[in-house]
Amino acid sequence: MSTVLQVENVEKYYGSRGNLTKALDNISFMVEKGEFVGIMGASGSGKTTLLNCISTIDRVTGGHILVDDKDITEMKGNTLNRFRREELGFIFQDFNLLDTMTAYENIALALSIQKKGSREIESRVRAIAGQLGIADVLNKYPYQMSGGQKQRVASARAVVGNPRLVLADEPTGALDSKAARLLLENFTYLNEELGATILMVTHDAFTASYASRIIFIKDGHIFTELKRGEEENRKSFFNKIIDVVSLLGGELNDVI
């Protein structure tokens, strides 16, 4: 199994010399191809800062982040823009769909930016829409869709370009329980059937229980990790997550 993501001794400081805040403190871990990894931590733990650094939205103060052996902390300008466009997929809590575009156009945009041909774009958009159960909303605009449909369109947009790594930031945060469950089942499909490598930040134990491995962060450090056994069911893994949450002080959302 090949390594997709390497985070090596990453540190991140905010503020001025006289008033520094250390958001990330010497964090290191790896994500292998085909893994579905969750990052959990209370508000202020550093999990969102970490995701922002991996997604190139923010820059590290120290250390290195490698995706497919490419050091993204050294990239700048057009090289960084091309990497972000071609190698990363993004799924946000608030969907980030363009209101003036249909679902089809929102999904196709990722391929248009990569300068794919119209036939390839149509084939890939319709294929992923069928796999995620949103073929019937392709001609609808975001305001005509439910929250769950919008999040699945956002998921389709994230993976249609076959990125090396899909980054999800609190993907179920704006969804009701039914829509959240459907989305997480789609994540499982993307991961297990389509081979997508997913790194997901969440504060919610139920959401995290769909991942195959959880990295817990506290005060900018890695607190511990949990790995789901090959034969272990999701409910058993959920209970283990709750046990770790209790050690963290129960600050996370631990309601199933």
Side-chain angles (χ1 to χ4, degrees):
M1 189 177 291
S2 61
T3 300
V4 171
L5 172 67
Q6 292 174 262
V7 177
E8 300 177 347
N9 308 115
V10 163
E11 296 184 338
K12 178 64 182 179
Y13 293 87
Y14 289 109
S16 60
R17 181 175 295 180
N19 186 28
L20 280 179
T21 299
K22 198 170 192 178
L24 299 175
D25 187 3
N26 198 34
I27 285 185
S28 298
F29 65 93
M30 295 190 299
V31 176
E32 304 295 329
K33 179 176 172 55
E35 272 199 291
F36 181 1
V37 178
I39 298 177
M40 293 192 76
S43 178
S45 63
K47 64 184 187 300
T48 299
T49 298
L50 176 60
L51 190 73
N52 287 344
C53 290
I54 295 170
S55 66
T56 73
I57 292 172
D58 205 348
R59 299 191 73 87
V60 302
T61 306
H64 298 273
I65 299 172
L66 291 84
V67 176
D68 241 11
D69 294 324
K70 301 169 186 170
D71 191 341
I72 65 175
T73 59
E74 302 291 336
M75 292 182 183
K76 296 178 181 178
N78 290 335
T79 301
L80 180 59
N81 292 335
R82 189 181 310 111
F83 168 82
R84 188 186 293 125
R85 183 172 66 237
E86 297 178 357
E87 304 293 337
L88 300 179
F90 299 93
I91 302 172
F92 302 97
Q93 179 177 338
D94 56 359
F95 319 129
N96 280 17
L97 299 178
L98 297 175
D99 292 335
T100 58
M101 290 185 172
T102 63
Y104 180 97
E105 291 166 337
N106 267 282
I107 300 168
L109 183 61
L111 298 173
S112 298
I113 291 172
Q114 293 182 12
K115 302 189 184 325
K116 303 295 183 184
S118 57
R119 287 186 180 180
E120 182 180 356
I121 289 175
E122 178 160 5
S123 173
R124 287 167 68 169
V125 169
R126 295 199 180 279
I128 193 65
Q131 290 162 337
L132 294 183
I134 50 173
D136 58 337
V137 302
L138 284 179
N139 293 323
K140 292 184 178 181
Y141 291 90
Y143 75 89
Q144 298 172 310
M145 292 182 265
S146 69
Q149 288 170 332
K150 285 189 279 191
Q151 192 60 294
R152 278 181 282 161
V153 169
S155 299
R157 180 184 59 188
V159 300
V160 72
N162 296 321
R164 295 294 294 167
L165 181 64
V166 176
L167 303 171
D169 184 11
E170 300 282 6
T172 60
L175 302 178
D176 60 36
S177 59
K178 181 180 178 181
R181 190 183 296 269
L182 286 172
L183 177 68
L184 291 165
E185 288 171 357
N186 279 316
F187 272 30
T188 300
Y189 178 85
L190 292 173
N191 174 243
E192 295 180 355
E193 302 300 325
L194 300 186
T197 304
I198 302 173
L199 184 66
M200 174 181 70
V201 162
T202 183
H203 70 280
D204 177 58
F206 174 74
T207 299
S209 69
Y210 279 80
S212 56
R213 179 162 61 103
I214 309 294
I215 298 169
F216 294 88
I217 295 180
K218 182 176 183 179
D219 299 330
H221 299 269
I222 290 181
F223 179 74
T224 191
E225 288 192 17
L226 267 184
K227 190 167 185 179
R228 184 171 171 177
E230 290 185 12
E231 303 299 324
E232 186 174 11
N233 62 38
R234 189 191 60 77
K235 187 167 181 59
S236 171
F237 193 46
F238 170 84
N239 289 332
K240 290 181 179 178
I241 294 169
I242 292 299
D243 288 342
V244 176
V245 167
S246 68
L247 293 175
L248 285 168
E251 297 167 305
L252 307 178
N253 180 1
D254 56 5
V255 179
I256 189 164

